[in-house]
Amino acid sequence: MRMLKRLAVLAALALISAGAAAQTVKIGLINTYSGPMASNGDQIQKAVDLYMKLNESRLPNGVKIEIIKRDDTGINPETAKRLAQELIVREKVNLITGVVWTPNAAAIAPLTKEAKVPFIIMNAGTAMLTTLSPYIARTSFTLWQSSYPMGEWAAKKFKTAYIAVADYGPGHDAQEAFTKSFKAGGGTIVGSVRMPPPTSDFAPYLQRVKDAKPDALFVFVPAGKSATALMKGFGDLGLGQAGIKLIGPGDITTDEELPNMGDVPVGVVTMFHYSAAGERPANKTFVAEYKKTYGDKAWPNFISVGAWDAMAAIYDVVIAQKGKLDPDKTMALLKGWKNPNSPRGPISIDPATRDIVQNEYVREVRKVGDHLANVELETIKSVKDPWKEINDKK
Amino acid sequence: MYSAPARLRPLEALPWLLAIAVYFAAPSYLPLGAYVFIMILFTLSLDLVVGYGGIVTLGHSAYFGFGAYTAGILAVRLNGDPLLGLAAAALAAGLLGLATGAVILRTRALTLLMLTLAITSIVLEIASSATALTNGSDGLHSVPVDPVLGRFAFDLFGTTAYFYCLAVVLACWTLVRSLVNSPFGAALVGSRENDARMHAIGAPVYARRLQAYSISCALAGMAGALLTQTTQFAGLSTLGFELSGEGLVMLVLGGVGRLYGAFVGPTVYIVARDYLARQTPEYWYMGIGVLLVLIVLFARGGILGLVDVLVNRLRAKRS
C-alpha cells in the first residue's frame, strides 16, 4: 500500500514536470483595432508582432507566449473594463497589456489589483495611472516627463508663452507641467485654452493665440490626425509668420504623421523620448526591421516603441520565471527592470513608482533627404516622472 | 400588430429560465450577461416610446447617460448605495424626460427626430464641459459602489452584477408589461395608429405620450445607472449618439412593439458582436453589418417577426 502511494506521488511529480515542459503564457492584449482611432492600435500590433517574430528564439524550450487580442474600439472605458474582466475570468491570462487610452487604463486598474494580474501599460500617458494599482507598470511615458523639461528649456529661450491643450487627462498634465517649470524659469503664461479632444478645427483657438502675440505657443493634442489638423491651422493662419514659435511634447510631430503635414512643422521644437530619426544603433536596427516587415512607407512611432519595450519586459519576466508567472514575482522583476538598448536609448522601470525612467530629447523638425524628421539636438538623461517626484506619489 | 396578451403565458418564463441556465452553464460569461441585461433594459425603454408610442427617437442615450452620471456623481460625492443610486437615476432621468418631452412631443415626425438628436447633443456638451462634476472626457473612474442591500459586494466574476441587473430588468419588465396591457397602453397604441381619431374620441393624446415618454426615460436612466454601478465608471460614451443608434438597431433586430423584441435583439446583437470581435478584432464590424443587412432584407419584423412567419407556416401545413 505504501509502495503504491509512493508510486502515485512519483507519477504526479512526473506529470507536473511534464506540464512545465510545455508552458503557455497567456497575455491579454487590449487594444484599439476598429473605429476612427485604429491607427494607434495598428502601431501597437505591428510592434508586438515584430518583436515576437524576431525574439522567438529567446524563450526557453517548451515555453510559449500566446497573445489574446481584444478590441476596445477607442475611448470606451466600460468596454475595456469588461474585456479585462473576461480576459481574467474566462481566458485566465497571466498578464494584461496594451491600452492606448488613459480612461480605459483607469477603468481596468482596480481589476488588476483585485485579481492580482500584472498590467503593463503600453501607451496611456497620464501621470496618475500607475498609482491606481500596485500591479501596474508602464513602458510608455508620462506627459509630465516631456512637458516639464520642455518648460525649463523654453524659459531659457522665450519670455511669454500661450498654452493650448486637449481637454482631458493627458492635456491637463501637459498644461500643469509646462506652466510649473516655465514659470519657475522666469517665463510668463499670457493665456491658456483647453480644447475638447475630438476637435479637428483649431482655427478659432489659434486666432486667439495670434491676437495674444506670445513668443511661443505650447500645444498638446492627441498624436495623429488631430496633430495634423493643428499644423494645418497653424500654417493657414500664419502664426509662424507672425513670429510665434510652436513648441510642445513630441505628440504633435510624431514620425508617422510628419509626411502628412506639409512643410509647416519645419522648425517646430518638441521634447520627447522617441524619434524614428534617432542615431542610436538599436534604433537604426529597429527602424530597418520595421520597414523590412511593413514596407518602406511605414514609420514606427512612440506608440510602437512603447509596445516594443513592453514586449521586451514581458519576455524578460517570462524567461526569468521559466514560463510560470507568479503575479508578485512578476511585479518584483518589473521593478528595476532595465533595457540599456531600447530604440529610444537606455530605459528602466523605477522600483518605487513602477513608471518608466528614460531620456528626453530636444528635437527640431528638419528636412532630412526627401522627408521631414525629428532631429535630436540635446539629451536630458534618465528623466523620472516629475509629477510623482514633486507630489511624492507612488 | 401582435402584442403580448394580458395573461401570462408559460412561454414568457423562458427568458428568465434561460438567464438562470446561463449562470450555471457559462459562469465565465457573467460580465457579458450583465451588459446584455443593461442593454435589454435600455431597449425595453425604447420599445415603450418607439414601438408602442410611435415616437421615433435618436436621443434616448441622453437619459441613459444622465442616469449613468447621476448614479456616478451621487456615489462619488455622497453615498455609494446601489439601490439609492438606481432610484436617484430613475427620478433624475424621468424628470429630464418630463421637461424635455413637454417641449419636443408637441412636434411630430422629422422635427421630433431632430429635436431628440439636439437634446442628446446638448446633454453631451454640458457633461463634457462641466468637468468639475463629470471629469469631462476622462470620465468618472473608480466610482465607489457599496454592496447591494449591504450584503452582496460586486465581485470580479460578475455574479452580483449579473443577478442585480437581472432583478432590475425583471422588475422593469413587469412594470412595462402591465403598462402596455392597460388602458393606458391601449391609448398609446391608439395614438400611434391613428392620432386624429384618438383626438376625436377625446383621448388626452399629448398627456399620454408625455407620460409614456417620461416613464421610458426613467427606465433608460436606470439602465445607465446599472452600467455605472457594474463597471464603476461613467463616461461621455454613455451620452453619445452611437448608443441611441445602437439601441434602435437592437430593437429593430429583435422586433419593434412586441415587448420581447427588446429581449431578443440585444442578446443576439451583443453575443454576435462578442463572438465576431474575438475571431477577428480588426474586421468584426463587417460581420455585424452583414447580419443587420440580412435581417432587414429577409426579416421585416425582426427576429421575432421571422419566428411568427415560421410558426404560421407550420400551423398552416398542419391544418
Side-chain angles (χ1 to χ4, degrees):
Chain A
M1 193 60 205
R2 267 180 77 180
M3 192 68 190
L4 208 65
K5 252 188 189 166
R6 267 191 205 158
L7 267 178
V9 169
L10 271 179
L13 279 176
L15 268 177
I16 290 169
S17 56
Q23 193 79 43
T24 303
V25 182
K26 287 185 162 186
I27 311 281
L29 176 60
I30 298 176
N31 194 7
T32 304
Y33 291 106
S34 62
M37 324 264 211
S39 66
N40 296 305
D42 187 50
Q43 286 277 348
I44 285 188
Q45 191 57 46
K46 280 184 169 153
V48 169
D49 289 343
L50 187 64
Y51 191 91
M52 294 183 76
K53 194 179 100 182
L54 298 177
N55 291 279
E56 215 184 338
S57 56
R58 280 186 66 204
L59 292 175
N61 257 343
V63 175
K64 265 191 174 161
I65 289 186
E66 185 193 348
I67 300 279
I68 302 170
K69 297 195 269 179
R70 290 289 183 272
D71 178 19
D72 62 20
T73 70
I75 305 179
N76 274 320
E78 306 93 337
T79 311
K81 167 142 189 186
R82 185 168 50 77
L83 293 174
Q85 211 169 351
E86 287 171 6
L87 282 170
I88 294 168
V89 173
R90 201 189 301 167
E91 308 291 346
K92 308 208 164 32
V93 294
N94 303 97
L95 193 146
I96 290 177
T97 188
V99 186
V100 180
W101 313 105
T102 289
N104 296 13
I108 295 169
L111 285 176
T112 64
K113 194 164 151 186
E114 195 184 344
K116 295 195 173 177
V117 175
F119 173 28
I120 301 183
I121 298 175
M122 282 182 170
N123 187 58
T126 305
M128 60 78 194
L129 278 178
T130 48
T131 62
L132 294 178
S133 154
Y135 288 90
I136 292 181
R138 172 157 49 194
T139 60
S140 51
F141 61 94
T142 73
L143 259 304
W144 274 80
Q145 252 175 348
S146 51
S147 302
Y148 192 81
M150 182 86 253
E152 287 174 337
W153 182 88
K156 289 179 210 149
K157 311 255 171 188
F158 309 112
K159 285 200 181 67
T160 57
Y162 198 102
I163 300 178
V165 295
D167 191 4
Y168 74 131
H172 302 167
D173 272 12
Q175 179 180 12
E176 207 185 321
F178 183 82
T179 308
K180 199 163 182 102
S181 58
F182 188 68
K183 274 189 180 168
T188 315
I189 308 286
V190 291
S192 65
V193 60
R194 289 179 172 182
M195 310 169 287
T199 305
S200 59
D201 179 15
F202 293 98
Y205 304 105
L206 292 173
Q207 188 58 51
R208 262 152 72 185
V209 176
K210 197 178 175 183
D211 297 341
K213 295 195 179 74
D215 296 337
L217 167 63
F218 174 85
V219 171
F220 166 79
V221 292
K225 303 293 167 218
S226 303
T228 307
L230 177 100
M231 285 296 169
K232 193 176 177 304
F234 191 85
D236 288 351
L237 285 175
L239 268 72
Q241 286 87 320
I244 299 168
K245 186 90 172 162
L246 183 61
I247 57 174
D251 303 72
I252 58 172
T253 59
T254 52
D255 303 299
E256 89 292 356
E257 275 298 314
L258 276 179
N260 307 329
M261 290 177 171
D263 278 337
V264 183
V266 173
V268 171
V269 175
T270 54
M271 182 78 75
F272 217 35
H273 57 280
Y274 180 70
S275 157
E279 291 291 336
R280 294 163 294 279
N283 186 46
K284 296 235 157 180
T285 327
F286 172 64
V287 175
E289 287 290 350
Y290 195 92
K291 286 184 170 286
K292 203 169 101 192
T293 312
Y294 301 117
D296 205 36
K297 287 254 162 63
W299 283 101
N301 70 1
F302 67 101
I303 301 181
S304 300
V305 171
W308 174 271
D309 285 325
M311 289 310 286
I314 290 170
Y315 269 57
D316 285 351
V317 298
V318 167
I319 292 163
Q321 298 176 80
K322 299 199 174 58
K324 287 189 161 178
L325 261 57
D326 171 76
D328 293 304
K329 193 144 179 238
T330 303
M331 289 318 293
L333 286 166
L334 284 173
K335 289 176 192 172
W337 176 81
K338 281 188 177 67
N339 181 4
N341 262 323
S342 162
R344 55 182 129 159
I347 58 167
S348 65
I349 289 177
D350 186 346
T353 62
R354 291 162 279 105
D355 218 334
I356 185 105
V357 182
Q358 60 192 342
N359 291 350
E360 289 288 331
Y361 304 94
V362 179
R363 312 106 41 94
E364 190 180 41
V365 179
R366 288 181 185 168
K367 210 152 199 158
V368 177
D370 60 343
H371 66 274
L372 298 183
N374 288 299
V375 179
E376 293 172 358
L377 304 177
E378 291 170 41
T379 306
I380 304 163
K381 289 214 159 117
S382 303
V383 180
K384 287 186 177 184
D385 175 32
W387 180 76
K388 296 196 184 68
E389 302 225 293
I390 292 167
N391 299 304
D392 197 25
K393 296 265 183 177
K394 282 188 176 146
Chain B
M1 195 181 275
Y2 171 86
S3 176
R7 266 178 63 187
L8 272 172
R9 289 167 307 155
L11 196 60
E12 293 182 71
L14 188 66
W16 315 106
L17 293 178
L18 271 178
I20 304 288
V22 164
Y23 172 71
F24 289 106
S28 66
Y29 283 79
L30 297 186
L32 189 71
Y35 182 64
V36 169
F37 290 143
I38 293 167
M39 283 301 129
I40 285 178
L41 183 53
F42 181 54
T43 315
L44 193 65
S45 78
L46 264 177
D47 201 17
L48 187 60
V49 283
V50 180
Y52 289 93
I55 307 163
V56 180
T57 164
L58 271 172
H60 235 47
S61 59
Y63 311 102
F64 183 90
F66 198 66
Y69 272 107
T70 305
I73 293 168
L74 186 74
V76 170
R77 304 262 156 164
L78 290 170
N79 190 319
D81 185 69
L83 292 179
L84 185 71
L86 196 65
L91 187 69
L95 286 177
L96 181 69
L98 188 67
T100 51
V103 180
I104 65 170
L105 289 178
R106 294 176 188 279
T107 63
R108 288 289 145 109
L110 261 185
T111 321
L112 177 61
L113 195 71
M114 295 313 291
L115 285 176
T116 59
L117 261 181
I119 286 172
T120 326
S121 309
I122 292 169
V123 178
L124 176 67
E125 212 46 55
I126 291 173
S128 130
S129 22
T131 45
L133 266 182
T134 62
N135 218 1
S137 296
D138 293 322
L140 288 172
H141 64 80
S142 312
V143 173
V145 185
D146 295 347
V148 183
L149 300 172
R151 288 186 62 183
F152 306 100
F154 286 91
D155 57 323
L156 182 64
F157 298 92
T159 317
T160 306
Y162 187 82
F163 284 109
Y164 175 53
C165 293
L166 180 62
V168 175
V169 172
L170 181 62
C172 293
W173 165 81
T174 316
L175 173 78
V176 176
R177 195 182 183 285
S178 60
L179 265 185
V180 297
N181 287 313
S182 67
F184 172 82
L188 203 57
V189 172
S191 78
R192 177 192 74 199
E193 292 297 314
N194 196 332
D195 204 17
R197 270 190 84 170
M198 288 305 283
H199 277 294
I201 61 170
V205 173
Y206 172 70
R208 288 286 170 271
R209 281 158 63 97
L210 185 56
Q211 284 157 1
Y213 192 76
S214 312
I215 293 169
S216 162
C217 292
L219 294 176
M222 283 167 86
L226 288 182
L227 188 67
T228 301
Q229 291 168 351
T230 54
T231 60
Q232 293 180 285
F233 190 92
L236 291 180
S237 54
T238 57
L239 287 165
F241 154 73
E242 290 86 358
L243 181 71
S244 302
E246 212 171 38
L248 219 48
V249 163
M250 288 190 275
L251 183 59
V252 171
L253 186 68
V256 184
R258 39 199 311 157
L259 203 60
Y260 288 102
F263 284 72
V264 176
T267 311
V268 171
Y269 183 83
I270 293 167
V271 171
R273 194 173 69 174
D274 182 63
Y275 175 77
L276 289 170
R278 263 185 291 136
Q279 305 309 313
T280 56
E282 286 94 347
Y283 308 111
W284 59 271
Y285 262 117
M286 199 177 107
I288 286 287
V290 170
L291 175 75
L292 291 180
V293 169
L294 287 179
I295 292 287
V296 173
L297 274 181
F298 298 109
R300 278 297 172 81
I303 294 170
L304 287 184
L306 196 66
V307 172
D308 268 359
V309 171
L310 293 179
V311 169
N312 286 341
R313 268 197 202 160
L314 269 179
R315 279 195 186 141
K317 257 189 194 169
R318 262 192 218 158
S319 60

